[in-house]
């Protein structure tokens, strides 16, 4: 795992952001928050399972976990014993069972992603994260700078992590479900959380250019 402070200006509030598979800080630089410090966690080829507390920044009046996509499982797995240190924990377009025919990405679809993972397949995946050309264009102009083979290795590692550990703990105070998500289907997310605990929002798998950090935090209240 790797970490990167996207913003660190001494704000009283910090967002601990567990990004999705294949990400790095680049897609989020155009929308760096002004009123929160933001620590990005990414690259899940290896998990910091021995000292997960080291991931929690100290000295903030408010520390909010925002986990997205595969980051929902990773954060739930690593931080299960640290929920009391978080002011809020928000899951966005992910589930506790990320490789699952009913409540995640179907196993066959995941295997197909692994079998066909290439620069072109990665571009196709980026397209699937959006429903509008403006958001896609902004993402592609700020796409992750990681090598394709490293990203494929992460995809393989996430499967191994999940098979070894199983479903993550539900540490989330709010579950946001994108109505137009084409990666983690909305119906799969709702099956994971339950309809009464799911808060549906209009948008695709990558909602950050439409909603922004403050809107996501408000949705999570």
């Amino acid at each position: 795992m790797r970490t990167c402070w996207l913003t660190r200006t001494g704000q009283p509030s910090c967002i601990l952001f567990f990004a999705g598979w294949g990400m790095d800080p680049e897609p989020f630089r155009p929308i760096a928050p002004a009123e929160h410090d933001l620590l990005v966690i990414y690259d899940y080829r290896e998990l910091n399972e021995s000292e997960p507390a080291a991931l929690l920044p100290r000295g903030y009046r408010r520390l909010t976990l925002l986990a997205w996509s595969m980051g929902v499982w990773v954060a739930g797995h690593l931080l299960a014993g640290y929920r009391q240190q978080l002011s809020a924990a928000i899951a966005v377009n992910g589930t506790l069972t990320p490789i699952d025919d009913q409540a995640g990405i179907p196993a066959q679809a995941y295997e197909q992603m692994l079998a066909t993972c290439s620069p072109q397949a990665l571009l196709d995946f980026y397209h699937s994260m959006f429903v509008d050309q403006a958001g896609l264009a902004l993402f592609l102009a700020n796409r992750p700078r990681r090598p394709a083979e490293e990203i494929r290795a992460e995809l393989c590692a996430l499967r191994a992590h999940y098979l070894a550990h199983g479903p993550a703990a539900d540490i989330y105070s709010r579950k946001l479900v994108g109505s137009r998500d084409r990666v983690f289907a909305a119906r799969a997310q709702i099956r994971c959380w339950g309809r009464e605990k799911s808060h549906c929002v209009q948008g695709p798998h990558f909602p950050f250019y439409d909603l922004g950090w403050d809107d996501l935090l408000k949705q999570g209240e």
Side-chain angles (χ1 to χ4, degrees), residues 175-192:
K175 293 89 170 178
L176 305 185
V177 176
S179 62
R180 303 182 72 182
D181 194 327
R182 292 189 288 163
V183 178
F184 279 86
R187 62 182 178 274
Q189 295 182 56
I190 291 170
R191 287 193 193 107
C192 172

Side-chain angles (χ1 to χ4, degrees), residues 80-87:
Y82 301 90
R83 177 62 183 87
Q84 70 279 5
Q85 298 185 33
L86 303 170
S87 303

Side-chain angles (χ1 to χ4, degrees), residues 134-193:
L136 175 62
L138 181 58
F139 180 89
L140 293 179
N142 297 274
R143 62 187 294 172
R145 296 180 179 177
R146 298 170 58 191
E149 186 51 41
E150 179 181 295
I151 292 175
R152 185 188 184 281
E154 184 185 0
L155 188 67
C156 187
L158 279 165
R159 180 183 63 176
H161 296 324
Y162 177 63
L163 291 177
H165 298 288
D170 184 0
I171 63 173
Y172 297 100
S173 52
R174 192 71 155 169
K175 293 89 170 178
L176 305 185
V177 176
S179 62
R180 303 182 72 182
D181 194 327
R182 292 189 288 163
V183 178
F184 279 86
R187 62 182 178 274
Q189 295 182 56
I190 291 170
R191 287 193 193 107
C192 172
W193 306 121

